[in-house]
Amino acid sequence: MKKGFLLFLLIVFTISAFSAVRLKDIAYFRGARDNQLFGIGVVTGLNGTGDSGKVTSELLTNMMKNLNINLQNSFSTKNSAVVFVFADIPAFYKEGMKLDVVVTAAGDSKSLEGGFLIQTPLYGADGQVYAVAQGSVLTGGAEVSTTANLQKRNKVSGVIPQGAIVENEIHSSIVSNNTVTVLLRNPDITTAARTALSINAQFGQKLAKAVDPSSIRIKIPDVFSDDLISFLALIEEVEIDPDSKAKIVINEKTGTIVFGGKVKVADFTINYGNFVISVDNGKVGDNEATIYNLVNALKAAGATPQDVIAIIQNLSAAGYLYADLVVM
């Protein structure tokens, strides 16, 4: 490969037969969703890398007053920083369970390294407190400067693994009118229809109906009226043959192209540099006119990653590519 050529990585998986996936791997039950939590707190124990403004001092002074500690003068230090605190609480989390926490500097703090988050309430969108966070902030491993390709780690944000304790459960309900609804993570009409058919075949009766491209409504059988969890577990294990639109993703910075093996192209002829490429599906024979075969042919002819990307983009613009093109 000549100097300056972008890295071109093509990994091909050949599968003799399609392997179906479990429903739980491509969908979830309506009502069983995460909720975002947010809070504002103070990280202390910093080695002079905290905020320089007055906001942190005022917060610390107020904290002291809440503890019935009256200071003659305002609390002033650069060893503390105001931070935003974030966490996601999954559905059905109970009191006492723990959550991972993300902490980011809100002011002009230079670093949160080595800091400790003071007990901080975390609020839901309804303004209620659902968890309380506290603990040592981790900003990453040791600084790496020997490799130019690695970015310097961000010291004004960090994580506290298992740093929040759930104080109040967010109540979730997945049953409505004796039915549950499955939501596909990637809505698709064909996949929704196949999901309903697979569920009905699994139970030998018509329980499921595809309502729209993302949701499948399922009636709960009488035999599972007092054992919902077992029924949901059986639903999750139903195997589905998911469908998806043909798509090609191109990253021009790295020269990477990602595509499915069956992305097809129409008949075309293109002149590009030293290449003259012609595809006639009527004369292809066993070699189907797909992007996979086209890319292999171009590589064999000496095309660079830039050449391949440019040709694919031109084919898409001309309407000869039967796939969505996403350029990053």
Side-chain angles (χ1 to χ4, degrees):
M1 184 176 290
K2 295 181 180 179
K3 185 178 180 181
F5 280 9
L6 295 174
L7 174 64
F8 181 75
L9 179 61
L10 177 63
I11 302 177
V12 180
F13 293 96
T14 302
I15 305 177
S16 57
F18 181 84
S19 178
V21 299
R22 297 177 304 172
L23 183 58
K24 70 184 302 179
D25 297 323
I26 62 171
Y28 61 96
F29 293 105
R30 173 176 283 169
R33 48 159 285 184
D34 292 358
N35 283 274
Q36 296 175 331
L37 304 180
F38 168 76
I40 298 178
V42 175
V43 169
T44 189
L46 305 176
N47 188 18
T49 61
D51 293 336
S52 60
K54 296 181 179 180
V55 177
T56 305
S57 298
E58 292 175 356
L59 281 174
L60 289 172
T61 301
N62 289 334
M63 286 182 179
M64 294 294 183
K65 290 181 179 179
N66 291 335
L67 294 173
N68 295 320
I69 300 174
N70 295 317
L71 300 176
Q72 297 298 324
N73 300 311
S74 62
F75 201 97
S76 180
T77 176
K78 285 191 176 181
N79 292 337
S80 300
V82 177
V83 294
F84 296 128
V85 186
F86 308 93
D88 284 345
I89 179 170
F92 310 114
Y93 260 49
K94 311 296 183 183
E95 293 87 345
M97 291 184 169
K98 295 186 177 182
L99 308 171
D100 292 337
V101 171
V102 175
V103 178
T104 63
D108 60 355
S109 171
K110 300 297 186 296
S111 173
L112 299 179
E113 187 172 17
F116 188 92
L117 176 68
I118 299 175
Q119 189 178 83
T120 304
L122 301 181
Y123 299 86
D126 58 0
Q128 301 298 312
V129 174
Y130 289 99
V132 175
Q134 180 172 283
S136 298
V137 179
L138 305 180
T139 57
E143 191 71 65
V144 178
S145 58
T146 58
T147 305
N149 292 332
L150 294 179
Q151 294 181 344
K152 292 183 178 180
R153 59 193 173 91
N154 187 0
K155 294 184 178 181
V156 293
S157 65
V159 298
I160 307 177
Q162 301 289 283
I165 299 176
V166 177
E167 297 294 337
N168 292 296
E169 177 186 356
I170 297 181
H171 295 285
S172 302
S173 177
I174 60 177
V175 178
S176 176
N177 297 323
N178 202 41
T179 66
V180 294
T181 299
V182 171
L183 300 178
L184 298 177
R185 292 190 175 90
N186 296 305
D188 181 84
I189 292 175
T190 304
T191 303
R194 290 177 181 175
T195 300
L197 291 173
S198 296
I199 292 172
N200 292 336
Q202 177 76 14
F203 289 91
Q205 53 182 310
K206 190 174 182 180
L207 300 176
K209 178 182 179 181
V211 179
D212 55 46
S214 65
S215 55
I216 301 93
R217 188 168 55 239
I218 309 167
K219 181 181 178 181
I220 302 172
D222 293 338
V223 68
F224 289 104
S225 60
D226 62 346
D227 192 6
L228 177 62
I229 296 301
S230 294
F231 177 64
L232 299 183
L234 291 173
I235 292 294
E236 286 187 330
E237 292 298 321
V238 173
E239 293 191 338
I240 308 297
D241 179 354
D243 196 30
S244 61
K245 293 177 64 176
K247 181 183 293 186
I248 299 175
V249 179
I250 290 176
N251 188 321
E252 291 185 300
K253 293 181 180 179
T254 62
T256 303
I257 306 174
V258 180
F259 54 86
K262 295 298 183 180
V263 176
K264 297 182 180 181
V265 294
D267 296 349
F268 70 89
T269 298
I270 186 173
N271 250 323
Y272 178 84
N274 296 325
F275 297 98
V276 177
I277 306 152
S278 183
V279 168
D280 186 344
N281 282 279
K283 298 180 180 179
V284 171
D286 293 332
N287 294 322
E288 193 174 18
T290 65
I291 283 294
Y292 171 71
N293 290 329
L294 176 62
V295 169
N296 276 346
L298 289 171
K299 288 177 62 183
T304 69
Q306 298 98 319
D307 295 332
V308 176
I309 288 174
I311 290 170
I312 290 176
Q313 287 176 320
N314 285 321
L315 288 177
S316 178
Y320 295 120
L321 189 63
Y322 298 133
D324 288 339
L325 181 63
V326 179
V327 180
M328 303 173 61

